[in-house]
Amino acid sequence: MACDYCTIVDGDGKAEILHEGEQLLIAAKDVAFIPGQLTILPKEHFTILEMIPEELLATAVAAANKASTLLFERLGAQGTNILIQNGTGAGQKVPHFAIEVIPRREADGLKLSWAPQTVGDDDLDIVAAQLKEASDKLLQEKFKKEEPKKEAENITAEDYRVKALRRIP
């Protein structure tokens, strides 16, 4: 059985391709949580997040950022949800990694919330013990190689607040 998202990438699926780059595309699919939802798809088939090369993932996240801005500016969204359903346990229906950018408005009727549970001290200690050593090692390897980027230094908090206020209808 063919992957529904690979079918879109091949140009045969039910979707409007809004942007197609060398490595990914942005599409408005015929099945969406709400009209205006955009889907960021790598052109190469990767089932889950952990399979994607880091450079491609960074490109996909940057595309989701731009798609979110587009929804604010062109559709008058008051907010966006950025959703990755990573694996069947997380609700992934199509076995192809995607980032969904969902435009939101107050009282739009879409419910994407769940009530957090309080984690008991014993459970928290167990989880922390299971993950701590491995996460320290993994993160140290990753972040010791990278220098912090300073691109955002020219953007002030006031600039951000003014831009956000313009988005409020």
Side-chain angles (χ1 to χ4, degrees):
M1 187 163 126
C3 168
D4 290 344
Y5 288 175
C6 286
T7 303
I8 291 171
V9 169
D10 292 340
D12 297 327
K14 291 185 177 183
E16 290 291 327
I17 307 297
L18 302 179
H19 171 78
E20 184 169 357
E22 188 175 308
Q23 297 180 306
L24 57 82
L25 57 83
I26 301 173
K29 302 181 315 227
D30 66 329
V31 176
F33 291 113
I34 201 161
Q37 175 179 328
L38 301 177
T39 304
I40 315 301
L41 296 170
K43 290 174 124 178
E44 187 175 343
H45 183 90
F46 297 102
T47 305
I48 56 173
L49 175 72
E50 294 79 7
M51 297 173 70
I52 298 176
E54 288 183 22
E55 185 176 301
L56 177 56
L57 180 59
T59 301
V61 169
N65 181 29
K66 299 294 185 189
S68 179
T69 300
L70 180 69
L71 294 174
F72 276 109
E73 293 178 357
R74 294 299 180 158
L75 296 185
Q78 294 172 320
T80 57
N81 287 117
I82 311 295
L83 180 64
I84 297 173
Q85 294 174 299
N86 193 40
T88 56
Q92 184 179 20
K93 302 287 187 249
V94 178
H96 188 124
F97 173 81
I99 301 175
E100 304 294 344
V101 185
I102 305 162
R104 300 303 305 272
R105 297 187 71 74
E106 286 187 46
D108 62 14
L110 183 60
K111 304 292 182 210
L112 291 179
S113 61
W114 53 89
Q117 300 175 2
T118 301
V119 178
D121 290 342
D122 290 342
D123 289 334
L124 187 57
D125 290 344
I126 290 168
V127 169
Q130 290 175 331
L131 298 177
K132 179 95 172 95
E133 184 179 335
S135 65
D136 283 347
K137 183 177 179 181
L138 178 70
L139 294 174
Q140 285 173 3
E141 287 175 13
K142 171 66 181 150
F143 294 118
K144 72 180 178 185
K145 298 175 190 174
E146 296 180 0
E147 294 286 324
K149 296 184 179 174
K150 299 186 178 184
E151 296 171 2
E153 282 185 0
N154 296 332
I155 300 172
T156 66
E158 184 177 339
D159 292 337
Y160 174 78
R161 287 190 301 266
V162 168
K163 190 169 185 176
L165 283 172
R166 290 186 186 135
R167 292 179 175 166
I168 297 172

